[in-house]
Amino acid sequence: MRIVIAEDLALLREGLIRILQANGFEVVEAVDNGAALIRSLMTHRPDVAIVDVRLPPTFTDEGLRSAIEARRQIPGLPIMVLSQYVEQIYARELMSDRAGAVGYLLKDRVTDVDQFVASVRQVAAGSTVMDPDVVSALLTRRSADPKLLGLSPREHEVLALMAQGRSNAAIAARMFVTEKTVSKHSNSIFAKLGLKPSEDDNRRILAVLAYLQG
């Protein structure tokens, strides 16, 4: 699996390279600014791009903007964004074009190597991954929503795990219940939120995230 990395901090950039290479990924290039990122993505057309949100020269959202711009020219390019802080607007921007698989993780998650690698593979395979802290912030922002208030505590737990990008099987394993039980909770959640049900895990995830982002 071929990867392009964009990270301006040399120490973290080298750390990412070592982690990914040790887990069987091919890092075809690692760059440190937005312009170089676009050039690299257009040249290598990797299986997934791992991008720091804030890159030179602006150190605002240069990385995110550059990745989205590249995806306009490479439809479906999977993008994994890394951020130092929870920024809900970045999650919304990342998902707004609906043009390919996305992931949004806080940089702290990289230290959990197994989970980080699994998240990269999940995004490369076309799925969605959202950091638990980002999901928590989205749920807090919508905490007064009457439809969310109508969910049971168990349904809230399933909703949060679903929004993180977990499949029914993964949610079942996390909650120590059967997939049938998770499916029952999922159907109830979608009915209460007024969402169209789907048998496809990623479609459910995207529907839930779209609802939470309002």
Side-chain angles (χ1 to χ4, degrees):
M1 189 178 296
R2 301 165 66 253
I3 294 179
V4 165
I5 296 172
E7 167 59 57
D8 68 299
L9 295 176
L11 189 61
L12 180 53
R13 187 169 63 247
E14 292 303 316
L16 287 169
I17 292 171
R18 288 197 297 271
I19 287 171
L20 293 166
Q21 289 178 336
N23 284 275
F25 296 95
E26 178 187 359
V27 179
V28 293
E29 190 170 10
V31 300
D32 63 1
N33 64 82
L37 171 60
I38 293 177
R39 287 195 300 270
S40 182
L41 293 176
M42 295 303 298
T43 299
H44 297 291
R45 297 180 177 252
D47 297 301
V48 61
I50 300 179
V51 181
D52 183 0
V53 168
R54 300 183 179 187
L55 290 176
T58 65
F59 289 103
T60 54
D61 58 357
E62 188 79 11
L64 178 62
R65 297 293 176 194
S66 297
I68 291 174
E69 173 58 31
R71 190 153 70 178
R72 291 194 182 101
Q73 302 177 61
I74 311 174
L77 171 69
I79 300 171
M80 168 72 81
V81 166
L82 301 179
S83 178
Q84 190 71 40
Y85 310 104
V86 174
E87 296 281 2
Q88 294 177 42
I89 189 171
Y90 294 155
R92 290 197 295 273
E93 289 285 343
L94 186 61
M95 299 186 66
S96 63
D97 65 1
R98 298 180 179 271
V102 298
Y104 180 1
L105 293 179
L106 296 183
K107 289 185 177 181
D108 290 349
R109 307 296 179 192
V110 176
T111 58
D112 185 343
V113 173
D114 289 343
Q115 186 58 52
F116 172 66
V117 168
S119 296
V120 173
R121 294 190 189 281
Q122 190 173 338
V123 171
S127 298
T128 302
V129 174
M130 199 61 59
D131 191 281
D133 286 356
V134 176
V135 172
S136 178
L138 291 171
L139 286 168
T140 298
R141 186 173 68 88
R142 297 293 298 270
S143 60
D145 186 318
K147 292 181 179 179
L148 289 178
L149 290 173
L151 301 182
S152 70
R154 205 62 162 165
E155 288 168 348
H156 268 285
E157 187 177 357
V158 171
L159 177 67
L161 292 171
M162 194 186 306
Q164 291 171 26
R166 298 176 188 269
S167 65
N168 277 6
I171 294 172
R174 177 68 175 267
M175 297 177 64
F176 302 103
V177 298
T178 65
E179 285 189 53
K180 184 176 180 180
T181 297
V182 173
S183 181
K184 182 179 178 181
H185 285 312
S186 176
N187 290 336
S188 177
I189 291 166
F190 271 63
K192 290 179 179 180
L193 297 185
L195 300 175
K196 185 178 180 180
S198 172
E199 294 301 315
D200 180 88
D201 282 330
N202 202 50
R203 287 184 182 275
R204 286 199 301 273
I205 294 164
L206 291 174
V208 165
L209 285 170
Y211 181 87
L212 292 179
Q213 292 174 48

